[in-house]
């Protein structure tokens, strides 16, 4: 068990380092960056549907699900992203590799406990402009950082059908924006560095319900509510030239997140197939900071709609491994809430994936592919066509089983 805990700690350290370069989107300049998907690779492959009370997979969407765990579960996942960014005149390509989550779930009878670390948002891009004039001015805007969530949650099974839960999240991170300018006829340029150190807490509460319609058919539902919360931003600004370094005092800001509600429902045959849908709504939030306020940028309501599910040919097949593979798929539409030049920045994607059971255990490897489009080329903006390849590992075992024989 000690060896497993040490591996967890090492992966926690790796997750923190990877979270600093999690996106290449220019839209991550606004708010607290590009908000990452909160969920495991298997859920992502189903368009974000996480309605079933799984006994071996961690559900990061709803803490009520922890009460249904039967084995200690350790989950880690990462994504390779390839994006083509284009406007009306040209296009560029960028890629990133990130760790997406690390979580542990512990079954304690009717209680279940989960904890882990998730990158909530990422900021990361580089824009360089070279002016075609006699001065040959070169300007560049680069960024890094983001917001992370360390969470601990508890779920309780009121009855075999009903579960409730809550989790506590500590939010922390640093965002750094560097704006530099140089001229060919000037020996050195200038650089402005804006740093925002973020911190705050928030709470989620959730409930899940499942029941049988027939001997084989079951229905599922999930409700999750995120309570409105504030994020403190300690801001710093430094301007550097060849002759001096000036620190300009900046006011600290409060970034406000409105409450968010998520409702999911599904129907299916356990360990055979499932189809479900999910709706998410969040009121407009005040996400602007001192370094990214702009007259042409506003933040509206957030909303998303998803459909997805899975199919397993024969869960308990001993002779044909292919029949035990889980086939997943989904669709999702997302209104991010970001509005630039009166254009809403929306996201549309199709997802698919495979789940490979590890023979002789309850563990599994999950692969996913997400193809999508974010943004638009209208009003001088940028459209992002992206492909995400995700991999998730779910290790499940009895960590705290008392030995009967030595």
């Amino acid at each position: 068990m000690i060896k497993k805990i040490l591996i967890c700690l090492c992966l926690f350290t790796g997750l923190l380092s990877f979270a600093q370069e999690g996106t290449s989107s220019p839209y991550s300049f606004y708010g607290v960056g590009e908000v990452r998907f909160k969920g495991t690779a298997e859920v992502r492959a189903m368009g974000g549907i996480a309605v079933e009370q799984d006994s071996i997979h961690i559900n990061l969407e709803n803490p009520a699900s922890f009460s249904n765990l039967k084995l200690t579960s350790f989950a880690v996942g990462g994504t390779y992203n390839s994006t083509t960014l284009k406007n009306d005149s040209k296009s560029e390509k960028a890629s990133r590799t990130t760790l997406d989550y690390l979580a542990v779930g512990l079954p304690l009878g009717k209680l279940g406990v989960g904890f882990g670390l998730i990158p909530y948002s990422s900021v990361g891009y580089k824009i360089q402009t070279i002016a075609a004039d006699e001065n040959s001015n070169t300007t560049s805007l680069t960024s890094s950082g983001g917001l992370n969530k360390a969470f601990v949650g508890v779920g309780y099974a009121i009855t075999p059908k009903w579960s409730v839960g809550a989790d506590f999240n500590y939010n922390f991170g640093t965002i750094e924006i560097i704006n530099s300018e140089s001229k060919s006829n000037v020996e050195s340029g200038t650089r402005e560095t804006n740093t925002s150190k973020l911190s705050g807490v928030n709470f989620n509460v959730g409930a899940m319900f499942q029941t049988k319609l027939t001997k084989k058919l079951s229905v599922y539902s999930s409700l999750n509510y995120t309570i409105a919360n504030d994020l403190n931003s300690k801001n710093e600004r430094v301007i550097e030239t060849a002759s001096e370094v000036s620190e300009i005092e900046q006011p600290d800001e409060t970034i406000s997140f409105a409450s968010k509600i998520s409702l999911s429902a599904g129907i299916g045959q356990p360990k055979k197939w499932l189809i479900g849908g999910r709706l998410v709504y969040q009121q407009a939030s005040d996400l602007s900071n001192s370094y990214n306020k702009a007259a042409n940028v506003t933040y509206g309501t957030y909303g998303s709609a998803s459909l997805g599910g899975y199919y397993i040919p024969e869960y308990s097949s001993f002779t044909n491994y292919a029949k035990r593979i889980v086939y997943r798929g989904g669709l999702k539409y997302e209104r991010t809430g970001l509005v630039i030049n009166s254009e809403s920045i929306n996201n549309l994607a199709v997802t698919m994936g495979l789940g490979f059971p590890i023979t002789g255990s309850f563990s599994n490897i999950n692969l996913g592919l997400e193809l999508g489009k974010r943004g638009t080329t209208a009003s001088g903006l940028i459209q992002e066509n992206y492909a995400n390849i995700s991999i998730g590992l779910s290790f499940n075992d009895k960590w705290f089983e008392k030995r009967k024989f030595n």
Side-chain angles (χ1 to χ4, degrees):
M1 186 179 70
I2 294 177
K3 182 178 179 180
K4 294 177 180 178
I5 293 174
L6 289 174
I7 293 173
C8 293
L9 291 175
C10 291
L11 288 170
F12 262 104
T13 304
L15 180 59
L16 282 171
S17 62
F18 271 98
Q20 300 304 308
E21 292 291 344
T23 182
S24 56
S25 172
Y27 295 119
S28 66
F29 174 79
Y30 303 101
V32 293
E34 179 188 346
V35 176
R36 306 270 290 275
F37 175 74
K38 181 187 177 184
T40 57
E42 55 269 26
V43 172
R44 188 172 192 169
M46 296 188 292
I49 306 300
V51 70
E52 191 176 26
Q53 295 188 39
D54 201 316
S55 61
I56 60 173
H57 290 102
I58 294 177
N59 181 347
L60 299 177
E61 166 71 17
N62 195 325
S65 66
F66 297 146
S67 65
N68 203 57
L69 290 173
K70 303 304 180 186
L71 299 173
T72 297
S73 183
F74 170 67
V76 61
T79 296
Y80 170 78
N81 166 268
S82 177
T83 303
T84 300
L85 305 99
K86 67 176 185 177
N87 58 18
D88 289 331
S89 59
K90 62 179 181 179
S91 65
E92 297 287 345
K93 291 189 176 182
S95 62
R96 291 287 189 276
T97 300
T98 62
L99 271 169
D100 296 332
Y101 59 89
L102 189 149
V104 176
L106 305 174
L108 301 171
K110 289 187 176 182
L111 276 174
V113 177
F115 60 91
L117 188 64
I118 304 171
Y120 176 80
S121 69
S122 294
V123 180
Y125 55 86
K126 182 176 182 179
I127 301 174
Q128 187 175 63
T129 304
I130 301 176
D133 56 25
E134 65 276 6
N135 293 322
S136 297
N137 292 1
T138 300
T139 61
S140 66
L141 183 66
T142 60
S143 69
S144 63
L147 183 65
N148 303 296
K149 282 181 176 287
F151 74 92
V152 58
V154 177
Y156 178 74
I158 300 175
T159 71
K161 296 181 179 181
W162 279 100
S163 297
V164 295
D167 61 28
F168 166 83
N169 300 274
Y170 173 67
N171 309 307
F172 64 98
T174 300
I175 295 175
E176 185 178 73
I177 309 293
I178 300 175
N179 192 351
S180 60
E181 182 176 359
S182 62
K183 296 182 179 181
S184 60
N185 57 355
V186 177
E187 183 176 349
S188 60
T190 60
R191 183 170 71 173
E192 177 186 276
T193 303
N194 288 284
T195 304
S196 175
K197 297 180 180 179
L198 307 170
S199 63
V201 300
N202 74 285
F203 298 88
N204 297 320
V205 293
M208 300 186 78
F209 174 78
Q210 64 178 13
T211 189
K212 285 184 174 293
L213 287 180
T214 66
K215 185 177 180 180
K216 291 185 176 182
L217 204 60
S218 297
V219 292
Y220 310 91
S221 62
S222 172
L223 176 66
N224 192 71
Y225 182 75
T226 302
I227 301 171
N229 65 284
D230 291 334
L231 195 64
N232 299 317
S233 177
K234 185 177 181 181
N235 298 325
E236 300 174 355
R237 176 174 293 173
V238 176
I239 298 179
E240 301 173 78
T241 64
S243 58
E244 64 177 326
V245 176
S246 302
E247 185 173 337
I248 301 175
E249 185 176 351
Q250 293 293 299
D252 294 342
E253 299 274 356
T254 298
I255 299 172
S256 298
F257 291 87
S259 59
K260 181 168 69 173
I261 187 168
S262 172
L263 177 63
S264 303
I267 187 170
Q269 180 180 338
K271 299 180 181 179
K272 184 67 176 181
W273 64 271
L274 171 77
I275 185 168
R278 178 174 180 256
L279 295 173
V280 183
Y281 175 78
Q282 183 178 30
Q283 295 177 336
S285 301
D286 184 10
L287 303 179
S288 61
N289 209 326
S290 60
Y291 63 84
N292 61 13
K293 290 180 179 178
N296 66 328
V297 177
T298 58
Y299 300 94
T301 58
Y302 171 90
S304 71
S306 304
L307 289 173
Y310 70 79
Y311 173 72
I312 308 173
E314 189 177 343
Y315 177 81
S316 58
S317 176
F318 291 101
T319 58
N320 193 331
Y321 180 83
K323 289 184 177 181
R324 292 191 285 129
I325 295 175
V326 185
Y327 300 86
R328 302 185 174 99
L331 294 167
K332 71 175 184 179
Y333 172 79
E334 182 181 36
R335 181 185 176 94
T336 66
L338 177 63
V339 180
I340 305 176
N341 296 339
S342 300
E343 296 285 346
S344 179
I345 307 303
N346 300 325
N347 182 34
L348 179 65
V350 58
T351 63
M352 60 198 77
L354 299 171
F356 298 96
I358 298 176
T359 302
S361 73
F362 291 99
S363 302
N364 47 80
I365 301 172
N366 299 286
L367 301 178
L369 174 65
E370 181 179 12
L371 303 174
K373 180 184 75 172
R374 181 191 297 109
T376 175
T377 57
S379 302
L381 299 179
I382 293 174
Q383 179 179 303
E384 302 172 6
N385 298 322
Y386 62 86
N388 294 321
I389 300 174
S390 301
I391 181 170
L393 307 178
S394 181
F395 300 105
N396 309 285
D397 201 353
K398 291 184 178 181
W399 283 18
F400 304 103
E401 185 178 22
K402 186 178 181 181
R403 294 178 181 269
K404 292 184 179 180
F405 303 99
N406 291 323

